[in-house]
């Protein structure tokens, strides 16, 4: 039975059982004198619970109450109704039956009260997190497909996090124009880097705008290669709807969009199409419909003459430009060097009032010595390099990429960011994997994060850090990501394309349809010397590849949008390949073909797969004897690793790390993975259907880190975990169904950190063996769990119990 149907049926049954008991008690309480005090107390309990039970019935589909957690209570209520009816037949003088039935009534009252006060609260919290995870997952999909956003608090578009200057008047003017009755489609235009998207996001936060459009503000990143099918599908997803027919083409998408728009009426609707490029000016008109109170706001670098209503965002004036530059360059009292005012004005004039340029140039000079300022001024002649095109803008932004020799890797890392699609979040862990091999950085990612911090300080990228507990600062980056302004992405690509195709150390290829670059099709055996190769294709690509010889390629990044994707044949001869990143940015999970080509790669160490069907290429296990790390994100695992003649441990004999995140169909970890004896790190996070770990997990005797955070259906840890004597970090945070710790947990003699915040059902005293965790240095938990540790701290003198504060920072959420 589907979950929603099962949930509804269960909610109805729960409500019916409650109603029968409630009515029976009310009918009997005045007549059964012998049991009157108990029945009155029971009636009072039931009366107080009527609103709660009605809410369960109404919201049963959302709560999805599991049968195993309510069945016993339903049985007790049914037995209770019979018991209360029997009480009516008992004579007042029959104390034998009073002694017999009174404890049963008392127990019934306590059981109902306990369930609704404790279990139901935990269930509601768990289901709230499930709902959050579902929204999270949908929004990640949206984010991955240039998706739909709405303002922070309504679902996604946050306001600017950095200083904004001189936007009060533009917001007022833009709002006035937008709200005019005759304005149905409004164009906001300015050159790249002037702050169009920032202005629109601030408009979304405006109280008047939010009051008018409420949750019908829809924000879509359009960008250079718009995908109408994906845009419309994401609009449906955001409103939790499905089109009448499956969207097969752009025409289908536009034909079915009115269904959605009419559904979310009568509230006014604001559709924002951000970053419409030259050549796509007809796109906004496809979204126009004769629907009352429906408006479209378009942002573009191009002032399209076909639009009747246009708002031009002007660059900053000298005073405002100076304010923003001083902030970006940290020119304030106490700075190590503050240049003469005339020098500052000279640089500011050269930035032409472009906020992005002021921030990037200012960031590049932040806390620099006088010699750096003087050198930069000499290179810029007299500062009069005003620019009127994106090319000139890029040329001038290049001046911010001057790094000393000992920081040359920072510039290389900046250029690597161009390997990923426009307007997409770049997972920090992906960059850690790439840079560990390309630049020999540490595998834990500490140096990679430091580089991203410096790029953020220079305003060349934006590192968004997720919530961090004390133990995670140096070890857990799975929820962190990087964003980048499209101008800066173009700058990275521009910098990477200075040499000839064959000589570039970093080759970035973007393919539209099946139109391969001319240089690629002209030569049958195109030789490249790149160490990093990135190939991005759209939903029209048919996997028709030409050949490339890439003997030096160490990192291969494949970005695509199709339901079926074939790995290129030339991968088979990339003998130096160390990192493979395969990311699907389409709507549906993708089937991957030609995975067996990887078997010929003797140096392949790391694989990351995003939104793919694992079972599509696991029909026959591929021998990957050098593989050390595999990461699966939003993948459909199916029956992966089952029914093979070869053991998983034989196919992946040197695997040391497995990361599985947001794989929503994963219910059980395949037992064969427990034979990979070299495994040191196992991370299964946000897999809400995972309900059990195999008892064979105790065979992973070399495991050092085990993360199971936010696996909300996981009810217990197997007793065999006691044999993991090398385990130093155990993370079961937000595992809402875990009720107890393993009896012999004390045998995990090397355990140093335990994260158990959010384990709401873990309420009983810990097993006695926990006193044997002599190496335990840090426990992270909530306030209620912290009380359980108070008596234990007397025996573990070096133990710190850190109460995790409630974090209201929502940066970790997808857009």
């Amino acid at each position: 039975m589907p979950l929603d149907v099962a949930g509804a049926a269960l909610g109805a049954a729960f409500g019916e059982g409650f109603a029968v008991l409630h009515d029976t008690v009310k009918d009997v309480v005045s007549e059964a004198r012998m049991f009157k005090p108990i029945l009155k107390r029971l009636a009072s309990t039931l009366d107080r619970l009527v609103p709660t039970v009605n809410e369960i019935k109404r919201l049963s589909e959302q709560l999805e109450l599991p049968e195993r957690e309510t069945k016993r209570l339903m049985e007790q209520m049914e037995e209770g109704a019979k018991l209360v009816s029997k009480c009516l037949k008992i004579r007042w003088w029959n104390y034998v039956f009073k002694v017999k039935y009174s404890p049963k009534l008392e127990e019934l009252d306590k059981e109902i009260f306990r369930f609704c006060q404790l279990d139901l609260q935990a269930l509601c919290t768990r289901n709230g997190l499930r709902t959050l995870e579902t929204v999270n997952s949908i929004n990640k999909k949206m984010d991955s497909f240039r998706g739909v956003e709405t303002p922070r608090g309504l679902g996604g578009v946050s306001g600017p996090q950095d200083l904004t200057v001189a936007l009060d008047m533009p917001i007022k003017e833009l709002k006035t124009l937008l709200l005019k009755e005759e304005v149905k489609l409004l164009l906001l235009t300015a050159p790249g880097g002037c702050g169009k998207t920032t202005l629109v996001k601030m408009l979304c936060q405006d109280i008047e705008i939010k009051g008018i459009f409420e949750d019908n503000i829809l924000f879509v990143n359009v960008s250079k290669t718009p995908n109408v099918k994906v845009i419309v599908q994401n609009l449906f997803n955001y409103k939790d709807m499905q089109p009448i027919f499956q969207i097969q083409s752009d025409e289908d998408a536009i034909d079915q969009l009115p269904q959605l728009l009419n559904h979310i009426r009568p509230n006014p609707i604001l559709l924002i199409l951000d970053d419409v490029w030259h050549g796509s000016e007809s796109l906004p008109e496809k979204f126009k419909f004769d629907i009352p109170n429906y408006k479209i706001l378009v942002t573009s670098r191009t002032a399209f003459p076909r639009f009747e209503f246009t708002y031009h965002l002007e660059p900053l004036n000298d005073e405002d430009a100076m304010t923003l530059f001083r902030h970006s360059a940290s020119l304030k009292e106490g700075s190590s060097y503050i240049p003469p005012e005339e020098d500052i004005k000279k640089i500011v004039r050269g930035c032409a009032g472009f906020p992005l340029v002021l921030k990037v140039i200012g960031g590049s000079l932040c806390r620099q010595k006088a010699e750096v300022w003087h050198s930069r001024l000499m290179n810029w002649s007299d500062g009069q390099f005003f620019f009127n095109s994106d090319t000139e803008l890029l040329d001038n932004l290049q001046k911010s990429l001057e790094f000393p020799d000992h920081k040359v890797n920072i510039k290389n890392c900046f250029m690597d960011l161009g390997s990923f699609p426009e307007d997409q979040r770049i997972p920090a862990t992906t960059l850690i994997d790439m840079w560990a091999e390309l630049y020999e950085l540490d595998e834990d990612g500490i140096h990679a994060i430091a580089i991203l911090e410096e790029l953020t300080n220079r305003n060349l990228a934006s590192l968004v850090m997720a919530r961090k507990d004390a133990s995670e600062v140096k070890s857990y980056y799975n929820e962190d990501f990087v964003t980048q302004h499209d101008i800066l992405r173009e700058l990275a690509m521009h910098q990477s394309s200075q040499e000839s195709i064959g000589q570039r150390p970093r080759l970035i290829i973007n393919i539209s349809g099946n139109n391969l670059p001319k240089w690629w099709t002209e030569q049958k055996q195109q030789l490249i010397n790149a160490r990093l190769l990135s190939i991005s294709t759209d939903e029209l690509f048919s996997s028709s590849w030409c050949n490339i010889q890439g003997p030096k390629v160490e990192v291969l990044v494949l970005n695509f949008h199709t339901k079926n994707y074939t790995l290129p044949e030339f991968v088979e001869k990339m003998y130096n390949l160390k990192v493979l990143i395969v990311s699907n940015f389409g709507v549906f999970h993708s089937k991957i073909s030609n995975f067996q080509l990887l078997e010929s790669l003797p140096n392949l160490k790391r694989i990351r797969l995003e939104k793919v069907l694992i079972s599509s290429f696991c029909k026959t296990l591929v021998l990957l004897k050098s593989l050390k790390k595999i990461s699966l994100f939003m993948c459909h695992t199916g029956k992966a690793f089952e029914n093979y003649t070869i053991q998983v441990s034989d196919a992946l004999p040197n695997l040391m790390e497995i990361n599985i995140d947001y794989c929503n169909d994963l219910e059980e970890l395949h037992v064969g993975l427990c034979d990979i004896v070299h495994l040191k790190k196992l991370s299964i996070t946000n897999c809400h259907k995972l309900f059990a770990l195999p008892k064979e997990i105790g065979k992973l005797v070399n495991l050092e880190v085990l993360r199971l955070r936010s696996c909300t259906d996981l009810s217990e840890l197997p007793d065999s975990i006691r044999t993991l004597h090398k385990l130093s970090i155990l993370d079961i945070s937000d595992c809402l169904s875990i009720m107890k710790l393993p009896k012999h947990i004390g045998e995990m003699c090397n355990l140093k950190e335990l994260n158990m915040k959010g384990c709401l059902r873990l309420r009983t005293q810990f097993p006695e063996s926990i006193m044997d965790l002599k190496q335990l240095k840090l426990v992270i938990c909530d306030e209620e769990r912290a009380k359980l540790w108070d008596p234990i701290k007397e025996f573990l003198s070096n133990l710190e119990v850190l109460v995790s504060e409630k974090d209201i920072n929502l940066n970790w959420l997808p857009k």
Side-chain angles (χ1 to χ4, degrees), residues 202-339:
M202 290 184 68
L203 180 72
C204 290
Q205 303 299 318
D206 181 83
I207 295 176
E208 184 178 1
I209 292 295
K210 291 169 72 173
I212 294 172
F213 296 99
E214 297 184 0
D215 60 348
N216 281 348
I217 302 176
L218 308 175
F219 190 106
V220 178
N221 290 313
V222 177
S223 302
K224 193 171 185 177
T225 55
N227 187 326
V228 175
K229 290 188 295 183
V230 171
I231 290 173
V232 173
Q233 182 64 60
N234 287 328
L235 288 168
F236 272 97
N237 288 345
Y238 168 67
K239 287 299 182 179
D240 197 23
M241 291 180 60
Q242 285 299 321
I244 298 175
F245 306 105
Q246 185 175 357
I247 297 175
Q248 301 286 352
S249 64
D250 289 356
E251 290 74 20
D252 283 349
I254 297 301
D255 288 344
Q256 297 196 63
L257 184 56
Q259 171 198 348
L260 169 69
L261 298 177
N262 284 309
H263 176 78
I264 63 178
R265 290 182 57 216
N267 287 344
I269 303 168
L270 175 60
L271 174 63
I272 299 172
L273 301 176
D274 186 46
D275 197 19
V276 175
W277 282 57
H278 179 73
S280 298
E281 54 266 38
S282 63
L283 178 70
E285 295 184 348
K286 293 180 180 180
F287 288 83
K288 286 181 64 177
F289 299 98
D290 188 17
I291 295 176
N293 299 316
Y294 170 51
K295 294 178 180 288
I296 301 175
L297 176 59
V298 178
T299 73
S300 178
R301 303 179 196 177
T302 305
F304 302 122
R306 69 195 310 169
F307 294 144
E308 180 180 0
F309 300 100
T310 300
Y311 181 83
H312 293 270
L313 178 61
E314 300 296 333
L316 300 177
N317 61 34
D318 290 347
E319 181 180 352
D320 293 327
M322 183 69 79
T323 299
L324 182 57
F325 180 81
R326 284 182 173 277
H327 173 79
S328 301
S330 295
L331 297 180
K332 53 189 176 183
E333 291 185 15
S335 298
S336 57
Y337 173 71
I338 298 180

Side-chain angles (χ1 to χ4, degrees), residues 13 17 144-145 322 328 346 467 510 560 660 669 700 712 738:
S144 299
F145 347 129
M322 183 69 79
S328 301
K346 191 175 182 180
R467 301 169 299 176
N510 294 294
F560 61 96
I660 304 174
L669 186 67
L700 297 175
T712 53
I738 289 183

Side-chain angles (χ1 to χ4, degrees), residues 721-722 724-725 727 730 744-751 773:
I721 200 173
R722 64 199 286 186
L724 303 182
H725 296 157
L727 194 73
L730 175 61
H744 300 287
I745 190 173
E747 295 183 24
M748 299 165 64
C749 55
N750 200 45
L751 189 65
L773 295 176

Side-chain angles (χ1 to χ4, degrees), residues 61-76:
E61 290 187 13
Q62 286 90 332
L63 286 171
E64 292 179 13
L65 288 173
E67 184 174 356
R68 64 177 180 272
E69 292 160 334
T70 58
K71 186 176 180 181
R72 175 59 186 155
L73 182 65
M74 290 165 60
E75 290 173 351
Q76 285 185 314

